[in-house]
Amino acid sequence: MLPGRGGNGRKVMPWGIRTTWSTVGDGEFFCPGCGGDRNYRRRTGRRRLTVLGLPLLPRGYVGPVVECAACAERYGPELLDHPTTTRFSAMLRDAVHTVALAVLAAGGTSSRTALEAAVSAVRGAGFEDCTEEQLEALVEALGDTGRLSADMFGAALSIELHEALEPLSPHLAPAGRESILLQGARIALADGPYTPGEREVLATAGGALRLDTDDVSRLLAAARTPS
């Protein structure tokens, strides 16, 4: 069959490939096109050869893709690995909170200046109602010596740090990862030089934040300099 011509003079092919999309899931994601959190549809497509607009022969499948419900742009499903803005904010809040608790647990809560520095960091991260009493109670719960030996206590802190920091690290720029470690370092220094326990906690936090040992050392030294 020969192609005809449309009203604008262009050739109109009597055959082509048409994709029929089916929605297999939905949710919320960060849409790069919109620049914010949006609803999405997870879709798969079935391709067919069409003749005169009629679907005839199957030509395979496409997808899955993630389609933004707002702008209709389609992306690969790997985009769902990136946290939404809301989720990212919560992860960042939890990371700062966990580092502050770990530093206090390693150095003790007897210093009011260290507690004040920790409260300031945690509030700045988004826990606006945080108080010294709350942090003291949480540190006391972490350090329940009736259940944990010193080695087990250190292991528990390490697990907490890795669980809070490792999922966040791939989504933070280097400056953001360094900022979290610097906040922990300044809490440790609020009542004097680093203790061995504080250094160990900060080194663990640096590793979980994907900072190498040289960077960790540089940042711990830099934290001694007033900003």
Side-chain angles (χ1 to χ4, degrees), residues 79-98:
L79 196 66
L80 297 181
D81 294 335
H82 296 271
T84 63
T85 302
T86 301
R87 176 58 183 153
F88 179 79
S89 297
M91 293 168 70
L92 188 57
R93 256 194 333 265
D94 291 343
V96 173
H97 188 260
T98 302

Side-chain angles (χ1 to χ4, degrees), residues 134-182:
Q134 289 174 349
L135 292 184
E136 278 187 296
L138 287 169
V139 171
E140 184 178 348
L142 278 173
D144 183 356
T145 55
R147 292 185 293 109
L148 296 176
S149 67
D151 289 342
M152 291 172 64
F153 181 48
L157 287 180
S158 178
I159 291 170
E160 291 286 337
L161 287 167
H162 281 281
E163 288 181 348
L165 301 178
E166 285 184 343
L168 174 67
S169 296
H171 309 294
L172 276 177
R177 288 182 272 128
E178 291 183 358
S179 176
I180 293 176
L181 187 66
L182 280 170

Side-chain angles (χ1 to χ4, degrees), residues 178-215:
E178 291 183 358
S179 176
I180 293 176
L181 187 66
L182 280 170
Q183 289 183 71
R186 287 169 182 146
I187 294 169
L189 291 169
D191 58 353
Y194 299 115
T195 66
E198 289 169 342
R199 280 189 173 278
E200 183 176 351
V201 160
L202 292 168
T204 300
L209 287 165
R210 299 188 176 184
L211 298 171
D212 61 36
T213 54
D214 289 342
D215 284 333

Side-chain angles (χ1 to χ4, degrees), residues 95-107:
V96 173
H97 188 260
T98 302
V99 170
L101 282 178
V103 172
L104 288 175

Side-chain angles (χ1 to χ4, degrees), residues 112-136:
R112 306 315 298 181
T113 55
L115 272 171
E116 288 170 0
V119 168
S120 177
V122 172
R123 286 180 177 174
F127 286 113
E128 297 177 359
D129 297 329
C130 177
T131 65
E132 293 178 20
E133 292 74 20
Q134 289 174 349
L135 292 184
E136 278 187 296

Side-chain angles (χ1 to χ4, degrees), residues 20-38:
T20 303
W21 294 97
S22 299
T23 299
V24 295
D26 56 26
E28 188 179 48
F29 80 135
F30 180 85
C31 175
C34 295
D37 295 347
R38 298 291 186 270

